[in-house]
Amino acid sequence: TKASNGIVQQVQASGGGGINPSALHNEGTQIMAATYDPISATSSLIFLINVYGNENTNLADRITYTFYDGTTNGFIGMAYQDATNHGNGNQWNQTSFALEYTPPNANSRVYRLRGACNHGTFESLDTTTYIQRSRYGANIKNSITIFEVEA
């Protein structure tokens, strides 16, 4: 049953595969994507995003995460984090952020999360000693949780 003026649908996508691209830092790289089929054309979507990232040279000071409506390539929002030296050889960090978006219609859409850094190569999971997915019982995952909220 559909609740009045509340959450009408929730979907979560998660991925544990490592990313160690050959793309340059100014190109960024896709971390993951989630497909979503809205129930209503007037609902808003709330995205809860959790992502692990680092850069491979110990020289960057910023990591940027951008989030797009992959169907139209429209920018939805972003987050960034400092990649300062925490005493380890790589600048790995975990970031969580939330975004709200009202799609233009109720068509199925693909939402894409990308990562980049200002120096070196952006990496996520399975690429450094302490952020490897194999640690902690392979439970470390990047995730996108989508809530559809009735207008």
Side-chain angles (χ1 to χ4, degrees):
T1 60
K2 186 172 91 172
S4 178
N5 294 325
I7 296 172
V8 295
Q9 186 176 193
Q10 174 193 342
V11 171
Q12 181 176 24
S14 65
I19 297 171
N20 189 359
S22 60
L24 299 174
H25 66 280
N26 61 350
E27 295 173 315
T29 191
Q30 182 169 306
I31 299 167
M32 63 182 306
T35 301
Y36 189 78
D37 298 308
I39 291 174
S40 170
T42 59
S43 294
S44 291
L45 302 180
I46 298 173
F47 301 93
L48 301 180
I49 299 162
N50 184 64
V51 62
Y52 293 86
N54 71 288
E55 58 83 21
N56 68 345
T57 64
N58 204 22
L59 297 174
D61 57 358
R62 298 286 184 272
I63 293 175
T64 303
Y65 300 103
T66 52
F67 195 68
Y68 294 90
D69 176 337
T71 305
T72 64
N73 291 322
F75 176 75
I76 295 174
M78 66 174 290
Y80 86 97
Q81 66 185 140
D82 289 325
T84 56
N85 190 340
H86 298 289
N88 58 9
N90 291 291
Q91 309 309 325
W92 63 271
N93 291 281
Q94 181 269 335
T95 296
S96 295
F97 59 104
L99 299 168
E100 183 180 1
Y101 176 63
T102 302
N105 54 49
N107 295 342
S108 178
R109 303 181 106 57
V110 177
Y111 295 98
R112 301 184 189 283
L113 176 64
R114 298 183 66 83
C117 58
N118 65 330
H119 192 277
T121 300
F122 174 82
E123 300 173 342
S124 179
L125 300 178
D126 292 335
T127 57
T128 67
T129 301
Y130 296 107
I131 202 65
Q132 286 179 357
R133 197 177 145 271
S134 60
R135 294 174 88 79
Y136 314 108
N139 289 318
I140 298 175
K141 291 182 173 44
N142 295 321
S143 67
I144 300 169
T145 303
I146 305 169
F147 295 94
E148 183 174 347
V149 181
E150 188 175 81

